[in-house]
Amino acid sequence: MSATFADLKNQPDVQSALSGIDARQQQMVDTVLAWSRVNSGSRNLGGLDEMERLILDAFKVLSPEVELIDLDDGEAVNEAGEVVTVKNGRTIRLFKRPTANRKVLMTGHTDTVFALDHKFQEPVWLDDNTINGPGVADMKGGIIVILNALMAFEETALAQNVGWEILLSPDEETGSLASAKILAERAKAADIGLTYEPALADGTLAGARKGSGNYTLVVRGKAAHAGREFFNGRNAVVALSSMITALASLTGEREDMTVNPAVIKGGVAPNVVPDMAWCRFNVRLKEPEHAEYFERKVREIVAAWDGVDRYTVTLHGGINRPPKALSDANIMLMEAIKACGAELGIKVDYVPTGGCCEGNNLAAAGLPNVDTLGVRGGMIHSADEFVCVDSFKERAKLSALILMAFASGQLDDVVKAKGRDA
Ligand SMILES: [Zn+2]
């Protein structure tokens, strides 16, 4: 018979570890201010290096083993419709006691959506409890929650029962294309996953998540003078428009599936038949079968034009975040975390969302996970991004108690259910 969450919280070493988090509140706030000032847009490799240095320094206190993983180059389609190489930063992998029986994978990202030339670069206080700044919630704040939860955990004897591993990716905001492989591989080696995207400002966490894919469709036709040789031309804008209409009509073809043609470009001047046009589009969907259906329909749309009438069509991209449906084990983990929250007076509720994150990748690899265990905040991906400052200690204590519950065997039924789901 295992102890209850309440018994756990009343153990003297647990109590002292949790109050240690309260004592570090100011330190957590100072750290997020300093980290927010470092630009780490996904393409700013210098800034990502600086974040790596700061993080390795901050996490030294845990004496982890450290591995820095170079990511493969990626591909992108530029404004001219050409495929170009994209350089990625490094994934930071920190781990301790890799041979322990119980293993937890904690994930986050060092990048933000704000490029070096974005106007939003400095944190400012909005009121006593609110900081507005790049990455304060998404998710430099979350990395600080990981650190402080583990510092508390490591103060207790329970820590000996758990091998923990942290993965911090440099490319989450561009879809984790390069780090997906590592996330999947490390997810398979763990029993539970904890991811540190921000919770909503009221503390609500994300439950099920839709899957998402980003694509670029490039159509090439033939240029001609619009007056003298109109019929020698092949109008890429007309062909692309027809394909976009077909793509958009897939919205609703499966429950809650949406297709968003979002950016288009093509043509040079009104008197020239355009020989190139492209469109970037996004799909959101709920079920793995819907992803198969969507990909088949897109291939059909491409095939209807490619090679026909001297048009060529190329499709780039794909579904990079599979849908996160909730397995039995995942639901049990969510319930256990809710119970941990209740012990600390933190109300934990979950809502399904159309947004997606690394939690999608972990779930697709079979790892039950809760992915919004970071700070409370909001307006992320905008210059109004904010963090609720009191959530640092609150969320660090929540994660510390989750780790302690895991260590004391109180999540063993989740791990068993994971085995059955597999
Ligand atoms: Zn994020």
Side-chain angles (χ1 to χ4, degrees):
M1 176 78 191
S2 63
T4 66
F5 298 112
D7 294 341
L8 191 59
K9 206 191 88 187
N10 296 331
Q11 288 175 23
D13 61 339
V14 170
Q15 271 188 345
S16 115
L18 293 177
S19 51
I21 290 176
D22 286 325
R24 289 194 298 275
Q25 168 69 11
Q26 188 57 44
Q27 190 186 324
M28 291 190 262
V29 174
D30 293 343
T31 306
V32 85
L33 288 168
W35 289 5
S36 175
R37 288 190 186 100
V38 178
N39 177 281
S40 59
S42 312
R43 296 287 166 247
N44 177 11
L45 301 190
L48 289 165
D49 280 350
E50 175 64 5
M51 276 310 300
E52 179 184 282
R53 195 185 63 72
L54 291 168
I55 286 168
L56 292 180
D57 196 47
F59 278 77
K60 241 183 225 153
V61 62
L62 298 171
S63 311
E65 295 186 58
V66 178
E67 185 189 5
L68 301 174
I69 307 171
D70 286 312
L71 298 185
D72 295 340
D73 291 345
E75 272 189 357
V77 178
N78 69 12
E79 291 282 301
E82 300 153 350
V83 176
V84 292
T85 299
V86 179
K87 294 277 174 203
N88 288 302
R90 273 183 298 272
T91 289
I92 303 170
R93 176 174 177 243
L94 307 171
F95 58 100
K96 196 154 187 157
R97 292 181 294 271
T99 56
N101 278 334
R102 298 188 180 94
K103 293 188 188 64
V104 56
L105 178 64
M106 305 168 88
T107 82
H109 59 88
T110 53
D111 62 331
T112 70
V113 297
F114 306 107
L116 205 46
D117 59 359
H118 197 285
K119 66 176 178 1
F120 186 45
Q121 302 288 347
E122 281 286 322
V124 289
W125 285 89
L126 297 184
D127 62 43
D128 285 357
N129 194 41
T130 317
I131 299 171
N132 158 235
V136 289
D138 185 19
M139 61 165 284
K140 293 174 183 182
I143 297 172
I144 294 166
V145 171
I146 298 178
L147 170 62
N148 282 273
L150 283 172
M151 283 168 74
F153 182 53
E154 289 292 324
E155 285 172 25
T156 65
L158 286 165
Q160 299 312 313
N161 303 334
V162 166
W164 51 258
E165 171 163 340
I166 305 167
L167 284 182
L168 301 174
S169 315
D171 66 337
E172 196 275 341
E173 297 294 6
T174 50
S176 305
L177 297 173
S179 55
K181 206 165 64 180
I182 298 164
L183 287 166
E185 177 197 306
R186 299 315 304 155
K188 290 193 176 111
D191 298 312
I192 60 167
L194 308 174
T195 293
Y196 286 81
E197 290 296 334
L200 299 182
D202 70 1
T204 306
L205 306 188
R209 286 181 181 269
K210 282 187 177 181
S212 170
N214 289 318
Y215 297 79
T216 305
L217 189 58
V218 183
V219 180
R220 290 184 194 278
K222 185 172 182 293
H225 191 285
R228 293 194 312 192
E229 301 180 299
F230 179 81
F231 292 103
N232 277 340
R234 292 289 175 271
N235 190 317
V237 168
V238 172
L240 179 67
S241 303
S242 160
M243 297 173 78
I244 289 173
T245 307
L247 287 168
S249 73
L250 295 173
T251 291
E253 286 291 303
R254 289 292 181 274
E255 192 191 355
D256 291 335
M257 184 166 90
T258 56
V259 183
N260 185 42
V263 187
I264 58 172
K265 189 173 178 191
V268 287
N271 61 348
V272 180
V273 175
D275 66 347
M276 194 279 291
W278 56 251
C279 171
R280 302 195 202 281
F281 63 97
N282 175 265
V283 62
R284 301 275 161 153
L285 33 74
K286 229 168 55 171
E287 305 288 342
E289 309 83 70
H290 298 178
E292 284 167 32
Y293 167 81
F294 176 76
E295 295 200 306
R296 178 161 52 80
K297 296 309 274 187
V298 173
R299 281 196 302 273
E300 285 172 16
I301 292 168
V302 170
W305 283 91
D306 186 33
V308 177
D309 220 8
R310 289 181 289 151
Y311 284 102
T312 57
V313 181
T314 49
L315 180 71
H316 307 269
I319 291 175
N320 57 305
R321 305 269 192 218
K324 180 180 176 183
L326 300 178
S327 64
D328 289 348
N330 212 121
I331 291 166
M332 290 166 73
L333 177 63
M334 288 160 71
E335 287 306 314
I337 287 176
K338 196 181 174 107
C340 283
E343 280 311 312
L344 296 166
I346 302 169
K347 191 170 176 329
V348 173
D349 284 312
Y350 299 93
V351 286
T353 170
C356 46
C357 72
E358 291 177 346
N360 293 63
N361 302 67
L362 303 184
L367 185 65
N369 69 86
V370 170
D371 56 29
T372 28
L373 290 167
V375 290
R376 282 184 286 110
M379 299 302 286
I380 61 171
H381 296 192
S382 84
D384 294 321
E385 175 176 356
F386 68 91
V387 60
C388 306
V389 169
D390 57 355
S391 68
F392 279 101
K393 56 183 181 183
E394 171 193 303
R395 298 287 144 161
K397 282 193 268 190
L398 175 61
S399 277
L401 196 61
I402 295 166
L403 291 167
M404 292 164 187
F406 182 49
S408 61
Q410 296 187 46
L411 303 186
D412 285 357
D413 54 347
V414 175
V415 182
K416 268 187 220 132
K418 173 181 183 272
R420 287 195 298 272
D421 287 332

